[in-house]
Amino acid sequence: MSEQHPTLELARELISRRSVTPEDAGCQPLMAKRLAALGFDIETMVFEDTTNMWARRNTSGPVFCFAGHTDVVPPGDAKDWHTDPFVPTDKDDVLYGRGAADMKGSLAAMVVATERFVKKHPEHHGSIAFLITSDEEGPFINGTVRVVETLEARNEKITWCLVGEPSSTNYAGDVVKYGRRGSMTGYLTIEGVQGHVAYPHLARNPVHLAAPAIAELATEMWDEGNAAFPPTSFQIVDVQAGTGATNVVPGRMKVTFNLRFSTESTAQGLQQRILAILDKHELVYSMDWILNGEPFLTEQGPLVDATKAAVTDVIGTPPELSTAGGTSDGRFIAPTGAQVIELGPVNASIHKVNEHVSHQDLITLTDMYERILERMLVPTPTSERA
């Protein structure tokens, strides 16, 4: 019966642990115990409130790394759920629970696929690693980025990385992410002069002053994108002004916006263009920036080729390669020179109430992960490695 599949059993164990970000709630020790039994060296890295695990089997290169997170977003009001979000529940061949799709199901598939692979290929080429954090759903300060910094400081390199984020749209493996857009947030404050609405000549309304500049920013063509990425997008996400009174001209306006940008643009270049538009409109303003991540793209090569072949082996059709969606921890790993792809279950229910994943998707995902390991770490006369 599918319900007794080892991936589903481990996924249930992980879901039952209330690991709301940045808590790990014992998920990593559960995984570590099984990996240690396969000969992995386990290293726990705790930074501030975040628990991370770096596990590695063998010391030689190349290094194939599974990356993921044990933390989940808060479930919201449990009354909105059909079942307790932290009591894994199976119904009609679907597993329900917070983290089922994002991404405890993927973690379970990674571990079981690795167990099967090592049993068949104990003398495999190179190394297998796991980079697991409890800070992906939070501020992403003390998680993967800190582990990568630690690895880089000791010149320990990841060659290929598979992130288990839920990449699929209709069924496991129909979409593989091979890059992500960059993300940058701007916090703009426009200064005016507060006053009485009956005496506008004694005030300077920052909303009126900023409107033409904001309109220009919203309609600017930042780039045309390329074959892998859509054009860069500028979106205003919050606007604040006013005192709450209907007879007061506000003295200050705050605008928050986000850019999702392609490899055709740079963060610095976008900042310069935005400031030039604001200056052209002679605004008195201040600006703060947060760069959430640079864009990255894994070109066609060993990892992309192996992933496409493995998915095709398992489900009979090749996946669509995509860069759509939000950011992932792949943005911290790719700058080290690693090839990075994302392959996980269907993402339709992530961060929602009644989050779920089909039994078949987790079984299929396990098979895909095992096939990728075989294609990357079992030498064949025709294999080509990075």
Side-chain angles (χ1 to χ4, degrees), residues 204-275:
R204 284 174 51 85
N205 192 321
V207 179
H208 296 179
L209 296 171
I214 291 173
E216 184 171 347
L217 291 170
T219 56
E220 179 77 1
M221 176 61 72
W222 304 100
D223 59 51
E224 296 182 355
N226 53 38
F229 291 96
T232 291
S233 168
F234 173 97
Q235 292 295 319
I236 293 173
V237 298
D238 189 45
V239 178
Q240 297 181 27
T243 64
T246 60
N247 61 350
V248 177
V249 173
R252 181 176 292 111
M253 178 184 181
K254 295 185 177 181
V255 179
T256 304
F257 57 85
N258 180 267
L259 295 110
R260 296 300 167 106
F261 59 101
S262 74
T263 49
E264 295 297 308
S265 294
T266 66
Q268 183 178 11
L270 290 169
Q271 290 177 10
Q272 291 173 345
R273 290 175 63 185
I274 289 169
L275 295 180

XYZ file of all heavy atoms in Angstrom, residues 204-275:
544
model
N 2.968 71.822 1.609
C 3.478 71.111 0.425
C 3.048 69.649 0.563
O 3.572 68.924 1.419
C 5.006 71.215 0.331
C 5.507 72.573 -0.168
C 7.029 72.687 -0.099
N 7.706 71.560 -0.734
C 7.971 71.462 -2.025
N 7.577 72.429 -2.853
N 8.609 70.424 -2.513
N 2.108 69.255 -0.265
C 1.532 67.919 -0.159
C 2.448 66.894 -0.831
O 2.595 66.898 -2.065
C 0.151 67.891 -0.810
C -0.617 66.621 -0.473
O -0.051 65.551 -0.421
N -1.919 66.770 -0.248
N 3.090 65.997 -0.065
C 4.039 65.049 -0.659
C 3.363 64.047 -1.595
O 4.012 63.520 -2.500
C 4.651 64.355 0.559
C 3.609 64.473 1.628
C 2.952 65.804 1.391
N 2.073 63.789 -1.376
C 1.357 62.870 -2.268
C 1.251 63.476 -3.659
O 1.525 62.825 -4.674
C -0.038 62.544 -1.709
C -0.782 61.602 -2.650
C 0.065 61.944 -0.312
N 0.870 64.755 -3.718
C 0.771 65.442 -5.003
C 2.144 65.550 -5.663
O 2.285 65.352 -6.873
C 0.186 66.838 -4.812
C -1.210 66.827 -4.301
N -1.917 67.983 -4.032
C -2.054 65.810 -3.975
C -3.126 67.679 -3.584
N -3.220 66.363 -3.533
N 3.149 65.878 -4.857
C 4.493 66.056 -5.398
C 5.051 64.758 -5.967
O 5.736 64.752 -6.989
C 5.422 66.582 -4.305
C 5.108 67.972 -3.737
C 5.975 68.252 -2.518
C 5.304 69.039 -4.802
N 4.752 63.652 -5.294
C 5.346 62.372 -5.684
C 4.583 61.665 -6.787
O 5.134 60.784 -7.460
C 5.422 61.449 -4.457
N 3.327 62.016 -6.982
C 2.488 61.262 -7.915
C 3.096 61.119 -9.313
O 3.106 60.019 -9.875
C 1.099 61.894 -7.986
N 3.602 62.206 -9.948
C 4.178 62.037 -11.292
C 5.381 61.095 -11.307
O 5.545 60.301 -12.240
C 4.583 63.466 -11.679
C 3.720 64.348 -10.832
C 3.577 63.632 -9.538
N 6.222 61.183 -10.275
C 7.392 60.307 -10.211
C 6.973 58.853 -10.030
O 7.524 57.943 -10.671
C 8.313 60.740 -9.069
N 5.986 58.610 -9.177
C 5.516 57.244 -8.943
C 4.895 56.675 -10.208
O 5.100 55.504 -10.558
C 4.522 57.232 -7.769
C 5.266 57.536 -6.466
C 3.813 55.877 -7.673
C 4.353 57.708 -5.269
N 4.139 57.514 -10.931
C 3.553 57.065 -12.189
C 4.636 56.678 -13.188
O 4.514 55.675 -13.909
C 2.658 58.161 -12.769
N 5.712 57.463 -13.222
C 6.806 57.145 -14.152
C 7.507 55.854 -13.742
O 7.831 55.010 -14.594
C 7.800 58.308 -14.203
C 8.905 58.090 -15.222
C 9.776 59.313 -15.432
O 9.384 60.416 -14.987
O 10.850 59.169 -16.043
N 7.739 55.670 -12.447
C 8.368 54.434 -11.979
C 7.515 53.217 -12.318
O 8.028 52.152 -12.692
C 8.594 54.504 -10.468
C 9.646 55.481 -9.967
C 9.577 55.611 -8.451
C 11.048 55.040 -10.393
N 6.203 53.371 -12.185
C 5.300 52.240 -12.399
C 5.190 51.851 -13.868
O 4.827 50.706 -14.178
C 3.920 52.576 -11.842
N 5.501 52.760 -14.774
C 5.370 52.468 -16.206
C 6.712 52.312 -16.910
O 6.748 52.034 -18.110
C 4.566 53.585 -16.902
O 5.206 54.844 -16.660
C 3.143 53.630 -16.359
N 7.797 52.475 -16.180
C 9.136 52.362 -16.771
C 9.396 50.940 -17.260
O 9.051 49.951 -16.603
C 10.188 52.758 -15.737
C 11.629 52.660 -16.228
C 12.022 53.805 -17.134
O 11.187 54.695 -17.386
O 13.176 53.808 -17.582
N 10.007 50.822 -18.448
C 10.453 49.530 -18.956
C 11.904 49.343 -18.510
O 12.818 49.974 -19.031
C 10.354 49.470 -20.480
C 10.890 48.168 -21.067
S 10.013 46.683 -20.508
C 8.460 46.860 -21.405
N 12.107 48.498 -17.511
C 13.441 48.348 -16.912
C 14.354 47.493 -17.768
O 15.553 47.742 -17.854
C 13.308 47.771 -15.506
C 12.408 48.595 -14.649
C 11.096 48.349 -14.345
C 12.723 49.843 -14.013
N 10.572 49.357 -13.559
C 11.560 50.281 -13.333
C 13.877 50.620 -13.954
C 11.518 51.460 -12.603
C 13.840 51.801 -13.214
C 12.676 52.208 -12.557
N 13.816 46.482 -18.377
C 14.538 45.671 -19.357
C 13.503 44.809 -20.063
O 12.319 44.793 -19.695
C 15.651 44.820 -18.721
C 15.131 43.858 -17.650
O 14.168 43.116 -17.921
O 15.690 43.847 -16.540
N 13.924 44.105 -21.077
C 13.012 43.270 -21.852
C 13.112 41.797 -21.479
O 12.493 40.953 -22.130
C 13.290 43.457 -23.342
C 13.014 44.877 -23.837
C 13.239 45.039 -25.321
O 13.708 44.072 -25.959
O 12.940 46.130 -25.851
N 13.884 41.486 -20.418
C 14.062 40.097 -20.058
C 14.903 39.371 -21.087
O 15.574 39.986 -21.922
N 14.863 38.049 -21.061
C 15.604 37.248 -22.037
C 14.924 35.888 -22.164
O 13.810 35.705 -21.663
C 17.083 37.124 -21.642
C 17.271 36.620 -20.215
O 16.534 35.753 -19.738
N 18.271 37.166 -19.526
N 15.579 34.957 -22.774
C 14.958 33.646 -23.017
C 14.608 32.927 -21.722
O 13.663 32.131 -21.685
C 15.897 32.783 -23.859
N 15.337 33.225 -20.646
C 15.105 32.527 -19.379
C 14.242 33.315 -18.411
O 13.602 32.721 -17.536
C 16.450 32.201 -18.715
N 14.218 34.646 -18.538
C 13.542 35.492 -17.564
C 12.566 36.451 -18.242
O 12.859 36.987 -19.314
C 14.556 36.331 -16.782
C 15.437 35.549 -15.854
C 16.695 35.135 -16.260
C 15.008 35.226 -14.576
C 17.519 34.426 -15.395
C 15.816 34.515 -13.716
C 17.069 34.114 -14.122
N 11.420 36.732 -17.590
C 10.529 37.785 -18.075
C 11.144 39.148 -17.771
O 12.126 39.244 -17.028
C 9.248 37.561 -17.261
C 9.736 36.971 -15.968
C 10.904 36.096 -16.357
N 10.581 40.225 -18.314
C 11.095 41.560 -18.001
C 11.033 41.858 -16.506
O 10.190 41.326 -15.782
C 10.157 42.490 -18.781
C 9.617 41.650 -19.886
C 9.501 40.276 -19.314
N 11.927 42.715 -16.051
C 11.942 43.123 -14.649
C 10.614 43.788 -14.286
O 10.067 44.584 -15.051
C 13.114 44.081 -14.399
O 14.332 43.339 -14.506
C 13.026 44.733 -13.028
N 10.118 43.470 -13.088
C 8.829 43.975 -12.618
C 9.027 44.909 -11.436
O 9.759 44.597 -10.496
C 7.940 42.796 -12.194
O 6.801 43.247 -11.485
N 8.354 46.080 -11.488
C 8.327 47.051 -10.387
C 6.912 47.076 -9.833
O 5.954 47.339 -10.568
C 8.733 48.433 -10.901
C 8.594 49.550 -9.899
C 9.682 49.992 -9.163
C 7.364 50.187 -9.694
C 9.562 51.032 -8.243
C 7.226 51.224 -8.783
C 8.327 51.645 -8.051
N 6.763 46.809 -8.529
C 5.438 46.785 -7.924
C 5.445 47.554 -6.604
O 6.275 47.294 -5.731
C 4.976 45.346 -7.659
C 4.706 44.548 -8.912
C 3.532 45.083 -9.718
O 2.514 45.472 -9.147
N 3.679 45.117 -11.032
N 4.509 48.499 -6.467
C 4.318 49.199 -5.201
C 3.502 48.301 -4.278
O 2.447 47.787 -4.669
C 3.610 50.538 -5.414
C 4.530 51.488 -6.196
C 3.208 51.169 -4.080
C 3.875 52.781 -6.606
N 3.986 48.094 -3.058
C 3.313 47.179 -2.137
C 2.705 47.884 -0.928
O 1.882 47.300 -0.214
C 4.277 46.060 -1.664
C 4.724 45.230 -2.845
C 5.486 46.633 -0.931
N 3.096 49.152 -0.696
C 2.518 49.862 0.451
C 2.713 51.367 0.264
O 3.775 51.810 -0.197
C 3.177 49.420 1.760
C 2.451 49.968 2.979
O 1.216 49.910 3.006
O 3.122 50.464 3.907
N 1.679 52.140 0.610
C 1.738 53.605 0.578
C 1.115 54.125 1.863
O 0.013 53.712 2.242
C 0.980 54.184 -0.628
C 1.016 55.709 -0.601
C 1.558 53.663 -1.939
N 1.818 55.043 2.549
C 1.309 55.611 3.789
C 1.519 57.124 3.787
O 2.588 57.614 3.436
C 2.016 55.010 5.007
C 1.802 53.515 5.184
C 2.493 52.980 6.416
O 2.704 53.700 7.382
N 2.856 51.714 6.382
N 0.453 57.841 4.181
C 0.531 59.295 4.338
C -0.661 59.717 5.195
O -1.597 58.957 5.405
C 0.505 60.004 2.990
N -0.624 60.929 5.662
C -1.774 61.446 6.395
C -1.705 61.195 7.885
O -0.942 60.357 8.374
N -2.526 61.966 8.610
C -2.556 61.887 10.066
C -3.807 61.189 10.584
O -3.944 60.955 11.779
C -2.526 63.302 10.665
O -3.713 64.001 10.270
C -1.290 64.061 10.197
N -4.731 60.909 9.676
C -6.015 60.360 10.084
C -7.105 61.413 10.109
O -8.293 61.096 10.135
N -6.710 62.670 10.086
C -7.671 63.776 10.049
C -7.941 64.166 8.599
O -7.043 64.122 7.757
C -7.143 64.962 10.822
N -9.169 64.585 8.315
C -9.525 64.925 6.936
C -9.208 66.357 6.565
O -9.401 66.759 5.413
C -11.035 64.688 6.714
O -11.784 65.522 7.615
C -11.400 63.230 6.944
N -8.717 67.128 7.528
C -8.433 68.539 7.239
C -6.949 68.881 7.373
O -6.591 70.030 7.583
C -9.262 69.439 8.141
C -8.965 69.227 9.620
O -8.262 68.274 9.979
N -9.498 70.094 10.473
N -6.088 67.848 7.274
C -4.647 68.069 7.419
C -3.925 67.562 6.168
O -4.081 66.399 5.775
C -4.093 67.347 8.661
C -2.573 67.534 8.750
C -4.765 67.860 9.921
N -3.156 68.441 5.544
C -2.253 68.022 4.467
C -1.085 67.274 5.105
O -0.447 67.794 6.028
C -1.728 69.252 3.696
C -0.654 68.819 2.683
C -2.866 69.978 3.006
N -0.791 66.044 4.657
C 0.297 65.290 5.290
C 1.647 65.943 5.034
O 1.864 66.603 4.013
C 0.215 63.914 4.624
C -0.453 64.164 3.309
C -1.416 65.289 3.563
N 2.543 65.736 5.966
C 3.884 66.278 5.816
C 4.893 65.278 5.295
O 6.021 65.633 4.959
N 4.471 64.024 5.210
C 5.421 62.980 4.789
C 4.642 61.837 4.143
O 3.524 61.513 4.550
C 6.208 62.472 6.002
C 7.243 61.400 5.695
C 8.051 61.027 6.938
N 8.915 62.135 7.357
C 8.739 62.840 8.456
N 7.729 62.555 9.278
N 9.559 63.829 8.772
N 5.237 61.236 3.149
C 4.643 60.082 2.465
C 5.678 58.975 2.373
O 6.839 59.226 2.043
C 4.184 60.482 1.063
C 3.591 59.352 0.236
S 3.203 59.940 -1.443
C 2.503 58.473 -2.172
N 5.262 57.747 2.687
C 6.163 56.600 2.612
C 5.641 55.606 1.586
O 4.463 55.259 1.582
C 6.299 55.932 3.980
C 6.976 56.821 5.022
C 7.197 56.081 6.325
C 7.943 56.959 7.333
N 8.195 56.235 8.596
N 6.526 55.178 0.728
C 6.182 54.232 -0.336
C 7.154 53.050 -0.275
O 8.377 53.251 -0.256
C 6.257 54.888 -1.729
C 5.909 53.875 -2.820
C 5.349 56.108 -1.799
N 6.622 51.851 -0.231
C 7.438 50.639 -0.282
C 7.181 49.941 -1.604
O 6.023 49.776 -2.008
C 7.103 49.688 0.877
O 7.258 50.378 2.118
C 8.024 48.476 0.864
N 8.245 49.559 -2.288
C 8.091 48.874 -3.571
C 9.092 47.723 -3.672
O 10.069 47.661 -2.927
C 8.265 49.840 -4.747
C 9.592 50.562 -4.761
C 10.724 49.986 -5.319
C 9.700 51.838 -4.221
C 11.938 50.651 -5.338
C 10.916 52.521 -4.236
C 12.037 51.923 -4.789
N 8.799 46.816 -4.579
C 9.679 45.663 -4.793
C 9.938 45.496 -6.279
O 9.043 45.692 -7.112
C 9.041 44.390 -4.227
C 9.925 43.165 -4.417
O 9.799 42.452 -5.403
N 10.818 42.938 -3.471
N 11.167 45.141 -6.594
C 11.528 44.798 -7.964
C 11.937 43.337 -8.022
O 12.721 42.863 -7.185
C 12.690 45.655 -8.472
C 12.411 47.149 -8.610
C 13.191 47.911 -7.558
C 12.762 47.634 -10.006
N 11.384 42.607 -8.979
C 11.856 41.263 -9.307
C 12.575 41.397 -10.645
O 11.954 41.744 -11.655
C 10.689 40.282 -9.393
C 9.953 40.098 -8.061
C 10.905 39.555 -6.987
N 10.343 39.652 -5.652
C 9.887 38.601 -4.961
N 9.911 37.400 -5.504
N 9.420 38.762 -3.736
N 13.878 41.170 -10.626
C 14.661 41.543 -11.795
C 15.428 40.380 -12.392
O 15.802 39.417 -11.714
C 15.602 42.708 -11.480
C 16.598 42.482 -10.370
C 17.916 42.177 -10.655
C 16.217 42.609 -9.036
C 18.848 42.000 -9.639
C 17.132 42.436 -8.017
C 18.451 42.120 -8.315
N 15.614 40.485 -13.691
C 16.262 39.438 -14.468
C 17.774 39.644 -14.496
O 18.301 40.627 -13.969
C 15.719 39.453 -15.898
O 16.246 40.560 -16.614
N 18.444 38.743 -15.165
C 19.893 38.868 -15.328
C 20.252 39.970 -16.327
O 21.437 40.263 -16.512
C 20.496 37.532 -15.803
O 19.745 37.041 -16.924
C 20.445 36.495 -14.693
N 19.252 40.591 -16.937
C 19.507 41.716 -17.836
C 19.761 43.002 -17.064
O 20.211 43.990 -17.639
C 18.323 41.908 -18.784
C 18.097 40.760 -19.743
C 19.266 40.552 -20.692
O 19.676 41.530 -21.341
O 19.777 39.417 -20.757
N 19.423 43.019 -15.779
C 19.625 44.206 -14.943
C 20.453 43.840 -13.715
O 20.541 42.660 -13.341
C 18.282 44.792 -14.491
O 17.542 45.294 -15.573
N 21.020 44.863 -13.082
C 21.741 44.670 -11.825
C 21.064 45.498 -10.741
O 20.389 46.492 -11.031
C 23.205 45.108 -11.942
O 23.249 46.539 -12.158
C 23.914 44.390 -13.076
N 21.255 45.097 -9.500
C 20.670 45.848 -8.390
C 21.179 47.280 -8.388
O 20.405 48.239 -8.231
C 20.990 45.152 -7.067
N 22.473 47.464 -8.583
C 23.047 48.804 -8.568
C 22.502 49.654 -9.712
O 22.149 50.826 -9.531
C 24.566 48.736 -8.656
C 25.256 50.096 -8.577
C 26.769 49.996 -8.620
O 27.315 48.930 -8.911
N 27.450 51.089 -8.336
N 22.388 49.045 -10.887
C 21.880 49.780 -12.033
C 20.425 50.204 -11.841
O 20.040 51.325 -12.195
N 19.607 49.339 -11.262
C 18.212 49.679 -11.004
C 18.101 50.792 -9.963
O 17.285 51.710 -10.109
C 17.455 48.431 -10.528
C 17.235 47.345 -11.588
C 16.725 46.065 -10.943
C 16.255 47.823 -12.665
N 18.915 50.720 -8.934
C 18.904 51.781 -7.929
C 19.242 53.130 -8.548
O 18.579 54.150 -8.273
C 19.900 51.447 -6.817
C 19.485 50.288 -5.928
C 20.534 49.955 -4.887
O 21.504 50.695 -4.702
N 20.358 48.838 -4.193
N 20.250 53.165 -9.377
C 20.665 54.420 -10.003
C 19.564 54.992 -10.886
O 19.318 56.208 -10.886
C 21.938 54.190 -10.822
C 23.164 53.904 -9.969
C 24.381 53.524 -10.793
O 24.270 53.210 -11.981
N 25.552 53.543 -10.160
N 18.869 54.139 -11.625
C 17.804 54.610 -12.510
C 16.612 55.150 -11.703
O 15.998 56.148 -12.081
C 17.358 53.480 -13.438
C 18.393 53.119 -14.489
C 17.961 51.930 -15.309
N 16.730 52.199 -16.065
C 16.103 51.272 -16.793
N 16.592 50.036 -16.856
N 14.994 51.584 -17.463
N 16.293 54.500 -10.597
C 15.182 54.957 -9.752
C 15.509 56.311 -9.127
O 14.686 57.232 -9.116
C 14.872 53.898 -8.684
C 14.216 52.683 -9.351
C 13.961 54.462 -7.588
C 14.088 51.477 -8.459
N 16.718 56.438 -8.610
C 17.116 57.717 -8.011
C 17.126 58.836 -9.049
O 16.769 59.983 -8.743
C 18.491 57.575 -7.363
C 18.582 56.610 -6.172
C 20.005 56.567 -5.638
C 17.605 56.986 -5.069
